[in-house]
Amino acid sequence: MTAGETSRLLRAARIARRLAGPAEALVSTQRLVLDEIRQFGPQEAVEDLENVLTAARRLVGFVNSLRRGDIELGEDEKSAARLRHDLRTPINAIIGYSELVLEDFADVLPPGVKADCDSVVEAARQLLIEVETLDADSHEDGGEDAAIAARLETAISAAGGAAPRVETGRILIVDDDAANLDVLDRQLTRRGHRVRAAGSAEAAVALLEADTFDLALIDILMPGTNGIELLTRLKADMRWRHLSVLMISGLGDTSAVAACITAGADDYLQKPVDPVVLHARVEACLERTRWRERERAYLAEIEREKERADALLSAILPAPIIHRLNGGERHIADRFDAVSIVFADIVGFTPMVARTEPTALVRTLAALFEDFDDIADRHGVEKIKTIGDAYMAAAGIPHHRPDHAQAALGFARELLTSTPRSGPRLKLRIGIHSGPVIAGLIGRKRFVYDVWGDTVNFASRLEASGQEGRIHASEDYVKAIGYDVENAEKRHHELKGIGWVRSYILG
């Protein structure tokens, strides 16, 4: 395109821009007038008012043609006179028919309709004034148009000089017209795309089920299932809802375009399809497809990382505590009136450390405590933490359970009878006490769900003063479980930091 051609197009666009708003407003106002007259009358005025609307639409169509560059706009006076004539014709029709309605039905027109008709006449007369000044204004703007045209020509030349980056992909074309299919197929194949063609919606679905595509070009007017119905079906199916769709049709009705976009189409092309526009739209759609694929990949990666983080968090904290954290709680602390605390300690661990290679020692402890974790899960007991070679657990948190004492006993007994998966068999001492505790989440880094209170200290002292391979239980725990202590070994002794207590060695 030369600078002169660009200048003429810019001049036409400038004129169209001045006229488009008032012309479109005339159409909108006249539609309202017609709707009200059809509803409330007089019906005899409908024909003249329809003539006004037809003239207003003809004016808008002419302005749009001017904007698109479909009308040759010369620089001579003859061309200017022809332009003014073509614009005056529909405007004069608008004024003439509107004035007839105002004169013939002055006594019966609703006040609102009369006011609208008056505004239509006034707006049309203002447009006539605009039309008379178009040529003078366009010459005044000629220097600016020439400058804009020169800059635009430079930009087009610069863009055309660079090698275009072509985004190729797998494209499905759906059209019942074999000639259209052939033309589109050849145009796209030459561009490097892999193309498959379908002559109906049913054939398109069969191809989609058998292959993967990046983009579908779908004609609207097809026998049987039309293009909009096919588009709706694709967007409703999880397999194809992310497929980019470019609708193609010879329909000039903007409602068809709106329907396609609403149904999920990425773009719309009018027939006959300009090859340059076709390739630009196709490559833009494919680029969006690539971005969506990258976005889905990123979201999937984020979801995987979230699952890993959730799994890690689940290994650290009880599920109810995680739920409360996700709900926004910052400080989590609860009082439980009846909980059973269990401490299990490896007998003779310190001498074993001195004679065992570090890797083997850590491997042995890891295998043992993993077994303890599994046993805790089976009995519904919450692992609290490991302290060196000691394992601490609680029954009755983070949810209260009335059978906490029974759960703790079953857990402790299985710990004593469990066989390690590797390494030597280790002897345990176990202490259990029941009572109130406070449980909560502490720390911002390496946080932990922990329990505090005399109940914890008591259970720890019982474990330290217990016997190898036995369970050392407090009197409060025995009362909580209702355990038959007739055959249990009763003890009355002093515990460090607690004083004299009665306890039991359970089998």
Side-chain angles (χ1 to χ4, degrees), residues 5-15 145 148-149 152:
E5 290 171 337
T6 304
S7 179
R8 284 194 294 274
L9 285 175
L10 286 172
R11 178 167 170 254
R14 188 185 300 278
I15 293 172
D145 281 347
I148 294 173
L152 184 59

Side-chain angles (χ1 to χ4, degrees), residues 86-205:
D86 291 340
L87 289 167
R88 285 195 203 103
T89 301
I91 296 173
N92 285 330
I94 292 170
I95 296 171
Y97 283 114
S98 295
E99 289 180 337
L100 283 174
V101 171
L102 288 168
E103 291 173 7
D104 293 346
F105 304 99
D107 298 334
V108 292
L109 282 178
V113 172
K114 184 177 184 303
D116 285 339
C117 288
D118 286 334
S119 69
V120 166
V121 172
E122 179 59 28
R125 286 175 176 160
Q126 288 298 320
L127 267 176
L128 278 179
I129 296 173
E130 286 284 331
V131 168
E132 295 305 320
T133 61
L134 286 178
D135 190 54
D137 289 350
S138 66
H139 284 305
E140 289 175 6
D141 295 333
E144 183 182 354
D145 281 347
I148 294 173
R151 288 197 299 272
L152 184 59
E153 181 66 23
T154 301
I156 292 172
S157 299
R165 184 177 64 84
V166 178
E167 186 80 34
T168 61
R170 297 156 297 180
I171 300 177
L172 172 64
I173 309 171
V174 189
D175 197 322
D176 64 308
D177 189 308
N180 287 339
L181 281 178
D182 182 60
V183 170
L184 289 171
D185 190 336
R186 291 165 64 185
Q187 287 175 332
L188 294 171
T189 301
R190 287 176 182 175
R191 200 76 169 186
H193 303 292
R194 182 168 69 83
V195 180
R196 298 290 300 277
S200 66
E202 292 73 20
V205 170

Side-chain angles (χ1 to χ4, degrees), residues 483-490 504-507:
Y483 188 78
D484 182 3
V485 295
E486 290 298 323
N487 297 321
E489 179 185 332
K490 302 184 180 78
Y504 300 86
I505 301 294
L506 307 181

Side-chain angles (χ1 to χ4, degrees), residues 321-437:
I321 303 304
I322 295 173
H323 180 73
R324 290 168 66 179
L325 278 176
N326 290 336
E329 287 191 54
R330 296 184 58 189
H331 304 290
I332 295 177
D334 303 291
R335 180 182 295 278
F336 295 88
D337 294 328
V339 171
S340 291
I341 301 293
V342 180
F343 275 91
D345 189 70
I346 300 173
V347 178
F349 180 75
T350 301
M352 187 173 72
V353 171
R355 64 175 184 269
T356 307
E357 191 269 329
T359 302
L361 180 69
V362 171
R363 188 183 300 116
T364 298
L365 276 180
L368 181 69
F369 288 157
E370 285 174 14
D371 287 341
F372 286 6
D373 290 345
D374 292 339
I375 295 170
D377 288 342
R378 284 198 292 273
H379 290 274
V381 172
E382 192 67 44
K383 174 186 177 180
I384 302 301
K385 58 187 172 182
T386 59
I387 311 164
D389 63 322
Y391 189 98
M392 176 184 173
I397 62 170
H399 289 308
H400 170 72
R401 57 182 296 181
D403 63 340
H404 59 90
Q406 289 82 357
L409 182 60
F411 169 66
R413 282 176 167 169
E414 189 169 352
L415 291 185
L416 292 175
T417 58
S418 64
T419 302
R421 287 173 289 165
S422 62
R425 181 175 179 82
L426 303 174
K427 296 292 185 179
L428 301 177
R429 281 194 313 266
I430 295 179
I432 304 181
H433 177 53
S434 294
V437 298

Side-chain angles (χ1 to χ4, degrees), residues 153-342:
E153 181 66 23
T154 301
I156 292 172
S157 299
R165 184 177 64 84
V166 178
E167 186 80 34
T168 61
R170 297 156 297 180
I171 300 177
L172 172 64
I173 309 171
V174 189
D175 197 322
D176 64 308
D177 189 308
N180 287 339
L181 281 178
D182 182 60
V183 170
L184 289 171
D185 190 336
R186 291 165 64 185
Q187 287 175 332
L188 294 171
T189 301
R190 287 176 182 175
R191 200 76 169 186
H193 303 292
R194 182 168 69 83
V195 180
R196 298 290 300 277
S200 66
E202 292 73 20
V205 170
L207 286 174
L208 285 165
E209 288 176 338
D211 203 350
T212 303
F213 296 91
D214 302 310
L215 173 65
L217 275 64
I218 302 177
D219 182 42
I220 290 182
L221 291 176
M222 294 189 295
T225 302
N226 63 47
I228 296 178
E229 291 170 338
L230 174 58
L231 171 65
T232 303
R233 177 177 176 182
L234 297 183
K235 294 303 176 181
D237 194 307
M238 287 298 298
R239 295 173 295 174
W240 305 313
R241 66 181 308 174
H242 297 297
L243 176 67
S244 293
V245 177
L246 179 58
M247 302 300 289
I248 302 178
S249 177
L251 292 174
D253 188 359
T254 55
S255 62
V257 179
C260 292
I261 301 301
T262 301
D266 292 80
D267 212 334
Y268 184 97
L269 275 174
Q270 187 78 29
K271 289 182 179 180
V273 177
D274 181 280
V276 175
V277 177
L278 169 68
H279 294 311
R281 298 277 178 86
V282 164
E283 285 157 21
C285 285
L286 289 173
E287 178 63 16
R288 286 195 292 271
T289 296
R290 301 295 180 241
W291 275 109
R292 283 197 287 262
E293 288 173 352
R294 286 191 285 269
E295 180 185 27
R296 289 196 296 273
Y298 293 148
L299 290 175
E301 181 62 25
I302 290 170
E303 187 61 30
R304 285 193 294 271
E305 291 300 321
K306 182 178 180 299
E307 289 174 357
R308 288 176 57 189
D310 288 346
L312 181 60
L313 200 58
S314 296
I316 298 172
L317 301 176
I321 303 304
I322 295 173
H323 180 73
R324 290 168 66 179
L325 278 176
N326 290 336
E329 287 191 54
R330 296 184 58 189
H331 304 290
I332 295 177
D334 303 291
R335 180 182 295 278
F336 295 88
D337 294 328
V339 171
S340 291
I341 301 293
V342 180

